[in-house]
Amino acid sequence: MKNSSTVSKMHEVNPHIPKNFMVVLVIGFVLLIASVFLSLSLGSRMVGLQEVMDGLFRQDIDTYEANVVRKRISRTVFSLFCGAALGVSGALMQAVTRNPIADPSILGVNMGASLFVVCGMAFLNISSANQYIWLALAGAAITAVFVFGIGSLGRSGATPIKLVLAGAATTAALSSLVVAIMIPRSHVMDQFRFWQVGSVGSATWDGITTFIPFLLIGIVIAILSAPALNALALGDAIATGLGVRIGILRLVAALGAVLLCGAATALAGPIGFVGLLSTHVMRLVLGPDLRFVIPMSAISGAVILTISDVSGRLIGSPGELEVGVVTAFIGAPLLIILAMRSKVSSL
Amino acid sequence: MKPTHLFEAEQLVAGYDNKTVIQEVSLTIPSNKISVIIGANASGKSTLLKTLARLIKPTSGKINLDGKSITKMPPKQLARVLGLLPQSPIVPEGISVADLVGRGRFPHQSMLSGWTKKDYEAVAEAMRIMDITKLANQNIDELSGGQRQRVWIAMALAQQTDILFLDEPTTFLDITYQVEILDMLTDLNRKKGTTIVMVLHDINLSARYADNIFAIHNGKLVAEGEPSKVITSSLVKDVFGLDCIVVEDPISGSPSVVPIGRHHVNNAYTP
């Protein structure tokens, strides 16, 4: 009797769902819609709610404002997708390395993608998103394998601290290579400079269509591996005891992270810190359960990148400040706070 | 009652990198009983447990569960029979008791199925057995060492395995909590028939709580059997290098080791 009452109580207030999950979900969607509206309406040309609605839903209206809104649609969609990809990619990398400060930019994956894109620009005369994406993915994947390989050397395997060190060293080496390739080639420099800062402004529907399959595959991988990653969070030994094939799990989850971040980097350039910001906000309000943190990081990543893009447009008006600069400004202080707070033992 | 299993290791050799730690150990775990692995520091007792619990791949030899090699069984299927609580698991920051215990249900869930009624019941039962139901929504960081260890054991219980391996479950705990944890594990064994295999540091608590002792010295199994037969002053000398006398524990009747040091020794026992 006592037994069944405990069980039914567990169903009422389910302690296995973060207690404020519904609130966070609702707020997340509200912010998402708000950021879409802001992205469509704000910029060097301010547009009101009515014009946004006209631009979106009334094809017959052909005012200047309505056309401005229409021009901003692709940019908005892309920043949402790109932010979601970076958010989930960050969550995956943190889970795989069991390191709270992992992020595509910290593990060097971004820089690997950049190097390949630069090589493509310099040696193969590549200039379209559809071609960047494959180069960036290859670069991201090779760098991830390389960093993982270096980080796994030695007796204790791929520990979080070794992975981060390997990532930092690789980033340093690759970024000097990027500079070495660029400096003597002024035509590449111009093309690359804009890409390198990280921007969602140049998004095209073609680019977005190329991006979508990678986003979907990456997110499916992330959601399916979340329960196993939850087990991995308790340590390799516990995870093995729970029946997780930890080697395969790490590989698959890292692959998902590389797909997401490589594809986003190919189209937008290396945008840092979104993966870090979006996941930490979610962990703060939801706790560490990755079944909730991973999907919600997609939403928070989308909101953060879109709002950052809008801020960049406002700050840089009448021109604009690239979104990569904005995220770095918000993200760098956060990284410092996290690095100071994070227990050394957990590394 | 949990079903009977035949868990046996044959000519087991294992270690780290090129260093062999376990040397040709063959043993059979008595089903539905409590077995304790004892040995000095660096004797290989923990390595043996880790190898049996498939954390370390043996260099040679076999580990069979009911006649099947555990390395050939699907890991999730094996995890429904064989549970493990390692020595220093990681506590994710901000995790709640219920979340942590619930993660023990992983081997019972498929990739797409969410939480079923069975999962909730198993978690509720595990928390009740370890008496932590009231703590369900608390953060692990807020708990005492003894409570924390009960949470980890509850996680292993939620896994509902027939066999449970524990690597020094009482280390770093006050004596009160050591006894509490061992009592709870004994309850589990007596009520459910769960086979328990653990490494313990304290030889007297081992002698009291074990049905069966495995004594390890330099990576070799040097003695096994009931504590009353195995724990002798000559074994303690061999395994731990300690002079002692073995008396009867007045509380339990099990053997109890009284060490002989260099000081504070009555003339009668001076070597």
Side-chain angles (χ1 to χ4, degrees), chain B residues 14-16 46-48 50-59 63:
Chain B
Y16 307 92
S46 196
T47 308
L48 174 63
K50 284 182 190 144
T51 313
L52 294 175
R54 58 148 161 19
L55 289 188
I56 298 172
K57 218 179 150 214
T59 342
I63 304 171

Side-chain angles (χ1 to χ4, degrees), chain A residues 307-325:
Chain A
I307 297 286
S308 299
D309 180 42
V310 174
S311 320
R313 280 184 245 163
L314 295 180
I315 297 166
S317 182
E320 59 180 64
L321 193 61
E322 281 84 358
V323 68
V325 179

